[in-house]
Amino acid sequence: MVEPRRRFSLTNLFRRGTPVPEDRRIFNPGIQEKDTSYMITSPILYHIAQSSVIVRTCTTQLKNEIFRRGYTWEEKFVSKCADCGNEHKTAVKQCADCDSVNLVKPNKDQLKYAHKFLDRYVNSAEQLFIDVLKELEDDLNIMDDAYIILVKEYFIDNAGKIRMHKIKEIYRGDPVTMHIYSDEFGDKGNTGFTCIKHRDQITDDPISECEMCGDTLYPVHYVNRVNGHEQYYIKGEVLHFSKYNPSRLYGLSPVLTLWNNITTLLAMENYVNSSYSKSRMPRGLLAVQTRNIDSMKSFWRGVKEKMEQDPHFIPVMGIEAENGKGSIEWIKFMDSLKEMDYVAVKDDLRDRISAFYGVSKIFMSDNSASGGLNNEGMQILVTNRAVEMAQTIWNEYVLPFITQEFGITDWELKLPPSEEEDAIAVLRKREMEVNIAGSIKNLGFEVNMDDEGRFVYTKPPPEQQGGNQKEGEFEADPYAGTNIDQSHLGEMMEGGNRPSKQDAGQPASVKAQPDEPPQTRNKPSKSLGPDKRFTGLPQEAGNQNVDKRNERRVG
């Protein structure tokens, strides 16, 4: 039986959602373990990366370039509308959205505590803020997982609610012991809940209270499993981020990807080390056929003593044969480094590792090749792109998290580009800005400069026509319709002679002043006079043959 269709109504609507995709790496809610399908644990990855000269060189050079110029505070906006909240990146007089003039500048008081905190040691281990950032960069290049931990001091009300917090210390979380605490979908904060005062207490009931103090419980996002116990962290205390392979859970270690290349380089270096050390393998064996084995043993014993003093000593022995015949055979144990193409193989492995990290040869003190793609400028450009990519991770994810926890909304914490801007280019850019400002001023705009040296362009209001005169009134030209030229009038005025209206050939009754009533009437007159079309001219110039007394009005 088909269910009858119901009429549409808002009360008949049901809320449904798209299912969240599950992650195959998540087996059960709670602490999420790292993938160990390669049977290589995190401490081994750190040991291999720290033992390889090539990996240490790449990570160290990359780290130094990223943080070479430190960090800076930049304005998030130039001005902000206090009415609608619109942020303007350039200087304006009024809001572009609501036309409000209630604009505010970034508040410098927000940086007082942040400056005081970051300019000194940020933890009890006497580490600077830049030192903690460098540690995190090493974690990214080795494990592709980094954790920054903010140790806070909370201010709680009587109900156990967090009202305020203050950052007291900043630490680096160890990727070996730090874990994500999530549900079966990889979402944090839905499975475990802990108390702020008693971090060793955890429960899966979101509405329960702490058994020891009765305060409100807060969702757990991360856990640190070290020394046989677990430390639980809530939201806002820990930030986890990856660089090469970001995902819902953990990243993928670059050392694991380059495992064969790194271990091969380590084996080659160990081979060369053993070849030049005391316990090296001999290059070969000189086999001699003899009937007196005792004398051979005594001779070889002496050779051993000399080889301990000189590892490069090659023993030579001559034995007299009874039948006049003898044989000497050289048995080769190892090839030379040249025969094994040691240098070429090592350079190839080094190039593969450095290419993954984006570090060019010139940063590894290798300037043997030049020209083409090996040009020094091109190599620096390639490395600068890798540095820029790494700085994007910090400027877009990590540093905004820190400024947010500090309660800073008007300023941004940034890592400046590793390559400094050319001073000559800055002056040329400023010269172009000045030229543009002059051109805009010539168009009629008003040009001002703010506190930061930026030009502000405003359009002046239009001027009213006629000055202070009333609307509809205008100043009459007293010499309009006369035979006085303007240039001739200027000469006469300079000479101190101002011609009268009669001298200029204009009757006083024709051109009336604004304050005087007109002396002529609009209705036709019976007297003889010049025609109306000659108004303003001398009477002699009019037509005297017209007798208006014989005219009559029509209509």
Side-chain angles (χ1 to χ4, degrees):
M1 181 178 179
V2 180
E3 183 180 356
R5 181 177 298 178
R6 295 180 297 179
R7 295 182 60 185
F8 173 76
S9 175
L10 292 177
T11 58
N12 297 335
L13 297 180
F14 297 94
R15 179 178 295 179
R16 297 291 183 267
T18 305
V20 178
E22 297 183 3
D23 197 324
R24 61 180 177 83
R25 296 174 296 176
I26 301 177
F27 299 99
N28 55 355
I31 300 175
Q32 304 300 324
E33 300 286 349
K34 294 182 175 65
D35 186 10
T36 57
S37 57
Y38 294 94
M39 304 303 294
I40 301 174
T41 59
S42 299
I44 296 178
L45 296 177
Y46 273 100
H47 175 72
I48 293 298
Q50 294 171 357
S51 301
S52 175
V53 178
I54 304 301
V55 176
R56 284 294 303 274
T57 303
C58 292
T59 56
T60 302
Q61 293 296 331
L62 191 62
K63 176 178 59 178
N64 293 338
E65 288 297 319
I66 293 174
F67 303 104
R68 186 168 65 90
R69 299 180 60 190
Y71 57 89
T72 58
W73 290 96
E74 298 180 0
E75 295 179 348
K76 192 176 181 179
F77 51 83
V78 177
S79 60
K80 181 178 180 180
C81 179
D83 297 334
C84 67
N86 185 25
E87 298 179 354
H88 301 85
K89 301 298 181 181
T90 57
V92 294
K93 292 293 185 179
Q94 62 182 9
C95 179
D97 290 347
C98 62
D99 297 334
S100 174
V101 295
N102 188 12
L103 304 177
V104 294
K105 294 183 178 181
N107 187 8
K108 294 184 179 180
D109 294 337
Q110 295 182 356
L111 300 179
K112 288 184 178 180
Y113 180 72
H115 275 307
K116 182 180 178 181
F117 179 81
L118 297 178
D119 291 344
R120 53 181 176 84
Y121 297 133
V122 295
N123 52 41
S124 58
E126 297 183 352
Q127 283 184 305
L128 296 176
F129 180 62
I130 201 70
D131 298 333
V132 178
L133 298 184
K134 289 182 178 180
E135 278 190 309
L136 297 174
E137 181 65 24
D138 284 336
D139 293 336
L140 290 177
N141 294 326
I142 297 176
M143 292 295 299
D144 197 25
D145 288 308
Y147 300 85
I148 183 170
I149 301 177
L150 305 180
V151 179
K152 298 180 179 180
E153 180 182 7
Y154 292 101
F155 298 90
I156 308 174
D157 58 10
N158 296 330
K161 299 286 186 179
I162 298 177
R163 296 304 179 184
M164 293 183 295
H165 72 266
K166 183 179 181 180
I167 299 177
K168 303 295 293 184
E169 292 180 303
I170 297 179
Y171 283 94
R172 165 248 181 190
D174 191 357
V176 179
T177 59
M178 291 292 297
H179 296 81
I180 298 175
Y181 204 97
S182 66
D183 57 9
E184 62 273 12
F185 300 105
D187 297 333
K188 297 181 287 292
N190 296 331
T191 304
F193 301 87
T194 187
C195 176
I196 296 179
K197 298 179 182 178
H198 308 93
R199 293 299 179 99
D200 55 344
Q201 302 293 324
I202 187 169
T203 181
D204 56 356
D205 188 4
I207 61 175
S208 62
E209 297 179 349
C210 180
E211 298 178 356
M212 301 184 67
C213 62
D215 287 349
T216 305
L217 301 182
Y218 291 88
V220 175
H221 285 230
Y222 298 93
V223 58
N224 184 28
R225 307 175 67 183
V226 61
N227 298 329
H229 65 277
E230 298 176 353
Q231 296 174 321
Y232 300 101
Y233 295 94
I234 64 176
K235 183 179 180 180
E237 295 179 338
V238 179
L239 175 66
H240 166 254
F241 55 100
S242 299
K243 178 179 179 181
Y244 299 98
N245 189 41
S247 65
R248 274 196 253 177
L249 293 180
Y250 305 101
L252 181 62
S253 173
V255 178
L256 193 60
T257 305
L258 302 171
W259 179 266
N260 292 333
N261 302 77
I262 298 174
T263 53
T264 303
L265 277 174
L266 290 175
M268 295 176 67
E269 293 172 356
N270 293 333
Y271 176 80
V272 175
N273 181 43
S274 62
S275 299
Y276 289 93
S277 63
K278 181 178 179 180
S279 59
R280 68 180 180 88
M281 180 183 296
R283 291 180 298 172
L285 175 65
L286 184 64
V288 180
Q289 296 181 1
T290 179
R291 294 180 178 179
N292 192 352
I293 192 65
D294 295 333
S295 62
M296 186 66 185
K297 289 181 179 181
S298 61
F299 173 77
W300 189 248
R301 191 179 300 109
V303 169
K304 282 186 176 182
E305 296 177 357
K306 292 184 179 180
M307 289 183 64
E308 290 180 356
Q309 300 176 0
D310 186 7
H312 304 283
F313 173 73
I314 299 178
V316 179
M317 178 180 61
I319 301 176
E320 183 179 357
E322 295 180 356
N323 54 4
K325 296 181 180 181
S327 64
I328 300 177
E329 182 181 1
W330 172 257
I331 302 176
K332 189 176 182 181
F333 284 175
M334 59 180 293
D335 296 330
S336 63
L337 299 178
K338 184 177 181 180
E339 293 173 344
M340 293 186 299
D341 291 336
Y342 176 86
V343 177
V345 174
K346 185 176 181 180
D347 289 343
D348 179 70
L349 296 175
R350 181 190 64 179
D351 293 343
R352 294 178 185 273
I353 297 175
S354 60
F356 184 91
Y357 287 106
V359 180
S360 304
K361 292 183 178 180
I362 193 172
F363 286 90
M364 305 174 72
S365 301
D366 183 6
N367 54 1
S368 58
S370 62
L373 294 178
N374 293 325
N375 184 268
E376 289 81 358
M378 182 63 68
Q379 294 185 31
I380 294 176
L381 177 61
V382 171
T383 304
N384 287 342
R385 289 178 178 176
V387 173
E388 182 180 359
M389 187 272 290
Q391 289 183 339
T392 302
I393 303 296
W394 292 98
N395 293 334
E396 298 295 333
Y397 295 95
V398 185
L399 300 182
F401 169 78
I402 296 176
T403 55
Q404 180 183 359
E405 295 302 322
F406 271 106
I408 299 175
T409 58
D410 298 349
W411 300 83
E412 294 178 341
L413 188 60
K414 293 284 187 179
L415 294 180
S418 60
E419 291 296 329
E420 299 180 4
E421 194 173 4
D422 189 6
I424 302 299
V426 174
L427 294 177
R428 291 179 178 176
K429 180 181 178 181
R430 187 60 177 176
E431 181 182 3
M432 295 175 62
E433 293 177 352
V434 172
N435 294 335
I436 294 174
S439 301
I440 294 178
K441 185 176 182 180
N442 294 334
L443 295 176
F445 289 84
E446 294 181 358
V447 181
N448 297 317
M449 186 180 297
D450 60 4
D451 298 337
E452 301 295 332
R454 295 182 292 256
F455 290 105
V456 181
Y457 308 103
T458 56
K459 186 176 181 180
E463 298 180 357
Q464 297 181 357
Q465 300 293 335
N468 297 327
Q469 296 181 1
K470 297 181 179 179
E471 184 177 359
E473 297 183 356
F474 61 92
E475 182 181 359
D477 186 4
Y479 297 98
T482 64
N483 56 359
I484 300 297
D485 186 45
Q486 187 71 21
S487 61
H488 180 63
L489 179 62
E491 295 177 357
M492 296 177 65
M493 294 292 292
E494 292 179 359
N497 298 323
R498 181 181 179 87
S500 62
K501 298 178 181 180
Q502 290 76 9
D503 296 338
Q506 179 185 13
S509 59
V510 177
K511 190 72 173 180
Q513 295 295 331
D515 299 334
E516 297 178 1
Q519 300 179 7
T520 60
R521 293 181 297 174
N522 294 331
K523 61 183 180 178
S525 176
K526 297 295 182 177
S527 62
L528 297 177
D531 192 76
K532 289 183 178 181
R533 62 178 180 271
F534 296 106
T535 302
L537 297 178
Q539 186 175 5
E540 291 79 3
N543 188 359
Q544 304 297 330
N545 297 324
V546 178
D547 189 0
K548 292 185 177 181
R549 292 176 297 176
N550 298 329
E551 295 179 354
R552 66 177 180 175
R553 181 178 301 176
V554 179

